[in-house]
Amino acid sequence: MRRMGCHGYCVLIVVLHVVALVRVSPALLQTATSDFSRDDFPPPPRFVFGAGSSAYQVEGAAFEDGRTPSIWDTFAHSGRYGDKNGDIACDMYHKYKEDVQLMVDTGLEAYRFSISWPRVIPNGRGPVNPKGVHYYSSLINELLSHGIQPHVTLFHYDIPQALEDEYGGWVSRKIVKDFTTFADVCFREFGDRVSHWTTMNEANVFVLGGYDKGVFPPGRCSSPFGSNCAGGNSTTEPYIATHNILLAHASAVRLYKEKYQAKQHGLIGLDILTYGLVPLTNSTEDEKAAERAHDFFHGWFLNPLVFGDYPESMKRNVGSRLPSFTPLQSKLVKGSCDFFGLNHYRTMYIKDDPGSLNMNQRDYLGDMGAQMLSKQGILPTGEFPIDPAGLQIVLENFKEVYGNPPVIIYENGQMTFHNASLDATLNDTSRVEYLEAFMGGLLQAMRNESNVKGYFVWSFMDLFELFAGPRSTFGLYYVDFDNPDLKRYARFSAHWYSSFLKGRRINQYLWHY
Ligand code: BGC
């Protein structure tokens, strides 16, 4: 069997190059363990293993029971991805009971999903749609009746199109009030049964894809930074949207804490994408560039949420295009996360790019003054290189820089290309190798005192994969999108994860499953 975990060599390279970014403890030099079992992690509910999805990517039923389009429907229907869209997706809206049964068969302890705002409040504000509420209530009850903990995201890239049309969605301050009202409805209707709320999924990626490059909904950008832009300004809007996202998050959290938390006993946080950020060379310039990349990519959200303000390097390089917090806003945003959701897939190598700061017109990358390079890129097979040291670096950084707040790894998983042969599609050994390596790396980080409370594979099943393109899949379960019934099949990775969750050790023996 081919094995590709991150070896001592790559851990060492990473560690040598990252000293300026975080103080790395010598224990990080140890490679991720590949001999572990469920019992090596704290038991649920102190630590949960799950898998995830998002509303637009799995539900389908796009025009049913009162749902109206979100910005993601509009984006998908603009032809960016040929004739593909999420109108039907996995049809989980109708198949949720059988999907929960698959989760039970797999042994999932928790399931992460998101709530479609335009399904619950079709015009973005105003009347609540009882059928939308009924769907999520039933899903939550189905999960709980099988002992699966629901982890719920309020925004996974799909605000109602009505609000985008009315005032420009996230670029307007008006969204703070509407988002808070939507959150209020969700807390009121579902909060008695939800232990973990996340306000925003991958907020940092959303604002860059949606407002700088224009490659994610709502597709806003300006030339030369993006093409086919649906209006926008890449030099300012990512910063404005981020500011409004932080204020909307903080406002929803304040409401939750004042009105619900004492009786519902849940926790609330925000989720970002993280990269292991490694200087390309050991030059001082690249090391400084890696620090800036950390400030721009992670600190953009984490610094306000933990310390109440944007990182100094951002204030310096972005200047007046970076909105500032009033003292009141800063107080509201600071400390507004009970935990952080971290999505993690890959390591990025950072190269200093001093010339970019001399340009008259700069977008986010220009302001960062650094290039983010993926050293190996995506492998020809469509897979990500396997580098769990990157996750260990992120967690170490959290510990050292942000005071070790509780974190949940909400997305981690391997991308594979669709394969014409069913056997090849189901035999996803590279996904198992990836998960094994990252779970081993996570265990190592936890042994080094990282405060991690959960790990979720992305994704539970194949879904409408807008970001990486329709050829790519992440699912533990394969969904045959050509089959009228959208039949689900367990992949090797589903069996492997299930064995682990049911108590078998992850070691060579398991490879003969
Ligand atoms: C997103 C998911 C997406 C995944 C793989 C993450 O950025 O949260 O919605 O499916 O990446 O592309």
Side-chain angles (χ1 to χ4, degrees), residues 47-53 108-113 148-153 195-196 198 271 339 341-345 391 407-414 434-435 438-439 442 452-460 474 476 497:
F47 185 100
V48 290
F49 277 98
S53 73
L108 288 198
E109 296 161 0
Y111 176 59
R112 172 183 184 239
F113 63 95
I148 300 175
Q149 195 180 61
H151 286 233
V152 183
T153 304
S195 58
H196 292 76
T198 304
D271 176 274
F339 70 94
L342 303 185
N343 298 357
H344 186 88
Y345 293 89
L391 176 61
V407 303
I408 299 178
I409 307 302
Y410 265 148
E411 285 186 26
N412 178 238
Q414 177 62 294
Y434 182 100
L435 297 176
F438 275 91
M439 283 160 59
L442 174 65
V452 188
K453 304 293 185 191
Y455 174 90
F456 289 66
V457 174
W458 185 267
S459 49
F460 177 65
F474 286 82
L476 295 171
Y497 198 39

Side-chain angles (χ1 to χ4, degrees), residues 54 57 72 112 156-157 201-202 205 273 343 345 411 458 463-468 474:
S54 85
Q57 294 179 279
W72 205 343
R112 172 183 184 239
H156 198 119
Y157 303 175
N201 171 68
E202 278 190 14
V205 170
L273 179 72
N343 298 357
Y345 293 89
E411 285 186 26
W458 185 267
L463 34 73
F464 176 62
E465 183 49 60
L466 190 64
F467 303 105
F474 286 82

